[in-house]
Amino acid sequence: MKMENKDLVVVDNQNEVVAQNDSFDILGNETILMLADQAEKRIEAMNKIMNASLKMTTVNDWVLIGGIPYLQESGATKVARLFGISWQIEEPKKETRADGHYTITYKGKFSLAGATIEAEGARSSFDDFFASAGKDKDGNPRPRKTPDEIDMRDVKLAAYTNCINNGIKRILPGLRNLTVENLAEGGIDTKNLKGYSFKGESKKAASKVEGSGFKCEHCGAEISSAEASYSKSYYGKELCRKCQKLAKEGGLDDSRETESTDSGNQTE
């Protein structure tokens, strides 16, 4: 009997073909069930790792960067102690660009229950987080900071923290790709998360409203970087607190209000 093309699948390098309905027989029913059972157990284990890790941390151990939760060194070390993770970090390497800006890179080995992985962490002085000088009184971007105006210790600490975070997250996959919703479900007070987004502002302006350069995409009120980052995580838009409440209640349509609400009422 001739089989239709849609019923064929390639199963090896010899271009051998079998009916799609027979493909499960290659492994056997018992093997398929075993793999499915293992997959379910791994998912359950990763969820338990995530929940246990979140219980060890507080809101002060997390920061929002561009709307993405970022576990700081204080939280990473708590999680490491919980699971018995150890690491060895090599001396940092510095690469300098033609304009004088530089990148600091740390490399380390992380061990857990007999398993060892390698991870790196790098940050550059040219990153907006370090080099952005904010805006002037007219709202125009100021010239970026020169390398001499940036404290190298801050760049090194950020690179070191990245290395620690990357290593712990690689060896504990349950900590990867967490969302604000995950943090809230784990008991983290996400309403008080600090956050940074970048539109020409300095990192110190993250909690300020006046001159931040961020505006609510619905009503036009000026908002802080932290509000913008938090709202971006939850609602996919940069919204003031009043409009965040509307979005949560399902009362926010796609139309933009023509009049801006007083920004003082948005940040209470």
Side-chain angles (χ1 to χ4, degrees):
M1 180 178 68
K2 184 177 179 181
M3 292 182 292
E4 300 293 336
N5 289 338
K6 64 180 180 180
D7 294 325
L8 302 180
V9 292
V10 178
V11 298
D12 62 19
N13 292 332
Q14 303 300 320
N15 291 325
E16 178 184 356
V17 294
V18 298
Q20 189 169 12
N21 292 336
D22 294 336
S23 60
F24 284 105
D25 293 336
I26 298 171
L27 296 175
N29 290 335
E30 291 186 3
T31 302
I32 293 293
L33 293 174
M34 179 187 69
L35 292 173
D37 184 58
Q38 289 178 349
E40 290 291 338
K41 289 181 178 179
R42 288 176 180 174
I43 293 174
E44 182 180 356
M46 286 192 290
N47 286 335
K48 286 183 177 180
I49 288 173
M50 178 185 70
N51 291 332
S53 299
L54 292 178
K55 289 179 181 178
M56 285 293 296
T57 63
T58 69
V59 66
N60 295 324
D61 295 319
W62 296 88
V63 66
L64 288 174
I65 298 181
I68 305 299
Y70 182 83
L71 183 62
Q72 302 187 92
E73 184 186 6
S74 59
T77 52
K78 291 177 183 178
V79 174
R81 287 196 297 268
L82 174 64
F83 291 101
I85 300 172
S86 61
W87 59 79
Q88 292 181 327
I89 307 297
E90 299 177 1
E91 288 296 316
K93 295 182 179 180
K94 180 182 177 183
E95 296 178 273
T96 305
R97 305 182 348 168
D99 60 3
H101 279 286
Y102 52 86
T103 298
I104 302 293
T105 302
Y106 282 91
K107 184 177 181 180
K109 292 184 178 181
F110 296 77
S111 300
L112 172 64
T116 300
I117 58 100
E118 291 186 348
E120 290 186 348
R123 288 301 295 270
S124 171
S125 64
F126 191 74
D127 293 347
D128 281 343
F129 190 81
F130 302 108
S132 175
K135 297 181 179 181
D136 60 26
K137 62 181 181 180
D138 297 322
N140 300 314
R142 296 190 179 97
R144 294 174 67 85
K145 295 179 182 179
T146 65
D148 292 339
E149 296 176 296
I150 299 169
D151 192 335
M152 186 183 296
R153 290 176 299 178
D154 291 342
V155 183
K156 291 178 70 174
L157 179 59
Y160 181 84
T161 300
N162 275 353
C163 183
I164 298 296
N165 272 276
N166 291 339
I168 291 175
K169 289 178 180 179
R170 281 195 60 199
I171 208 164
L172 286 177
L175 282 179
R176 294 182 185 177
N177 302 319
L178 295 184
T179 64
V180 173
E181 289 86 348
N182 293 144
L183 266 59
E185 292 170 359
I188 302 297
D189 183 12
T190 56
K191 291 293 184 182
N192 289 317
L193 279 173
K194 296 179 181 179
Y196 305 115
S197 293
F198 303 107
K199 287 188 178 179
E201 63 175 330
S202 70
K203 61 180 180 179
K204 294 182 180 179
S207 61
K208 296 180 180 179
V209 174
E210 184 178 356
S212 68
F214 293 89
K215 290 188 177 182
C216 175
E217 294 183 29
H218 183 66
C219 72
E222 194 166 11
I223 59 178
S224 70
S225 169
E227 289 175 306
S229 185
Y230 176 88
S231 178
K232 194 76 171 179
S233 294
Y234 264 113
Y235 308 110
K237 295 181 178 181
E238 295 172 358
L239 303 172
C240 65
R241 296 197 179 191
K242 181 178 179 180
C243 292
Q244 286 178 33
K245 184 177 180 181
L246 288 174
K248 184 177 181 180
E249 296 172 349
L252 189 67
D253 57 33
D254 293 331
S255 62
R256 182 187 175 98
E257 294 180 11
T258 56
E259 295 184 3
S260 297
T261 307
D262 181 11
S263 62
N265 294 329
Q266 311 303 305
T267 56
E268 292 178 355

